[in-house]
Structure formats: structure tokens, C-alpha cells
Amino acid sequence: MTTRTFAMRVYAGTYWLLAALFLYILAVLILPTLDESPETKAFLPLILVFFALFLIGAGLATFLRSAPRRRWLWLGLLIPPVLFVLMNAPFIPYPLTHPVDIAFTAILPLIVATGVLVVAGMTAFREAGDPMTTPRSGARARLAVAVVAGATAGAFATGYLAASSGGGGTALAAAPTTAGTLVAESTRYLTANYSMSSSDVLGLFVENKDSFAHSFDIDALGIHVQVPASATVAIAIKPTGSGPLEFYCAVPGHREAGMVGTIDVR
């Protein structure tokens, strides 16, 4: 067999989609945050390596004339995207469950496209080993195309709507009797310690000066609030007793970067 089947064409097209997603990740998620996050700068070379691998994989799947006869090519080219997803597995659940996070518009298409690539790759592997295979349009392959297109469009639409409606907000469960401001900048809180009386209600304005989303969390009080990029959220904090209350950002890696503090309740 020397002609690419529909599954093989889906495979190649999905690979080009992943390469385009990497350009989006670089332009929207990585480059704007290089000065704000040294950790991001450290990962830039690795991102560029994966981007190069994706371009090579897309090129081989599309232009290599002998590809339809090379069974293991279709499985071997799955290694870079699957490996990238596995390496980032700890950071994937948060943006997937928080559409207001700017990473949502990249992570959802990435996961869906990688899944489609695995299905198309396994199908192409079987077809390449069958000399009697002829080009055909399988229902599963067509469904895969629809899933990728729908998930990509849905991710961008959901992310846009969440971002446009999440420019700021409040989480006020009670009328504040005292107020304070917490600024998040360069993946850290500029003020790490506050104090208040146990009889007060602290109205805390959390201002996010970063170009990506944060959160404000106090586990002891069940407070978990999203703070969109370049937005300010008002939160009412009513203690249940005296003692220290720890607050932090739940976005993976942000707490370790310094987004953690304490409210001393007297």
C-alpha cells in the first residue's frame, strides 16, 4: 500500500494542529510570562524541542512517501505528544476545571488532539500492515475530525466567555468591618502576613497584576476563589476562632513559587 488512508490523513492533520497549538502556547502562555516567572524561562528550551519534534512528526506523516508502508512510524511518532502530556500531567487538571484560566484554551485541544492522534495512529498501524487496505473514509476517523474541531472551537469559546465575564468579582459572605489589599505579581504575593481580630470580618481585595490566572484559597474556612488575569476580586474573611489562617494560590507550582501567606487572628 502506497496511498495514505483517511486515518493516516487525520493523523497528519492532527499533528499539524498540535504544532499550531504549540505556537499558541509559546505566543500566549510562555513568552508574555518570561519576565514574570523564572521557572517558565527555564522550561522554554524544552518547549522549543517539543515544538521541533512536532514539526518533524507532522512533516513525516504528511510528506514521507514510504510512510503508508512503515507500520511502526505511526506508533513511533506518538511518543513526543504522549510524552509531553505525561510530563505535564500534574498541571493539567487545574486549567481543565477552571475555564477562566488562560491555559484552558490550549490544554483542552491538546488533550483531545493527543487522544485522536493515538486512535488514528493505532488505526494507521493496522492499515499499514495490511497490503489489501485501500483508502477509505472510516466513520471513526471522520468522528475524530469532528471531535478535534469541536473541542478546539469549544475551548476557545468557553475560555473567551469565561475571561470576558471574569474581569473581576466578589466573594462577600458578610459585611466587612476592616479591609486590606493583597497584590499578586510575578507569581508571588507582595504581602505575606496580615492580622485581624476574631470578631472582625476582613474585606480583602486580591489584585492580580499577572497576565495569567491565580486563585485565593483558605482551606480552614472553605474559601476557594478564582482571580482572573489582570483582575481584582473582593473576598470577605470571617474567622471561626483565633489562630493563624494560611492562604495560598492553588495553581500548580504557584504556592511553591511564593504565593502563600498567613492571617494572624487574635
Side-chain angles (χ1 to χ4, degrees), residues 156-169:
F156 279 97
T158 304
Y160 173 79
L161 291 174
S164 62
S165 63

Side-chain angles (χ1 to χ4, degrees), residues 192-209:
N193 295 288
Y194 294 85
S195 61
M196 62 180 295
S197 169
S198 60
S199 60
D200 284 333
V201 176
L202 174 62
L204 189 64
F205 293 89
V206 183
E207 181 181 0
N208 182 5
K209 291 189 175 183

Side-chain angles (χ1 to χ4, degrees), residues 4-7 9-10 127 134-143:
R4 285 170 171 78
T5 65
F6 187 76
R9 294 196 295 272
V10 168
E127 293 175 342
T134 57
R136 59 181 181 271
S137 298
R140 285 185 298 179
R142 290 190 181 279
L143 178 61

Side-chain angles (χ1 to χ4, degrees), residues 111-196:
I111 297 301
V112 174
T114 301
V116 170
L117 201 67
V118 170
V119 174
M122 295 175 64
T123 303
F125 172 78
R126 292 196 303 268
E127 293 175 342
D130 184 1
M132 301 302 294
T133 298
T134 57
R136 59 181 181 271
S137 298
R140 285 185 298 179
R142 290 190 181 279
L143 178 61
V145 175
V147 168
V148 172
T152 302
F156 279 97
T158 304
Y160 173 79
L161 291 174
S164 62
S165 63
T170 60
L172 299 177
T177 58
T178 185
T181 300
L182 175 64
V183 177
E185 186 175 8
S186 301
T187 322
R188 64 188 182 93
Y189 288 136
L190 300 188
T191 304
N193 295 288
Y194 294 85
S195 61
M196 62 180 295

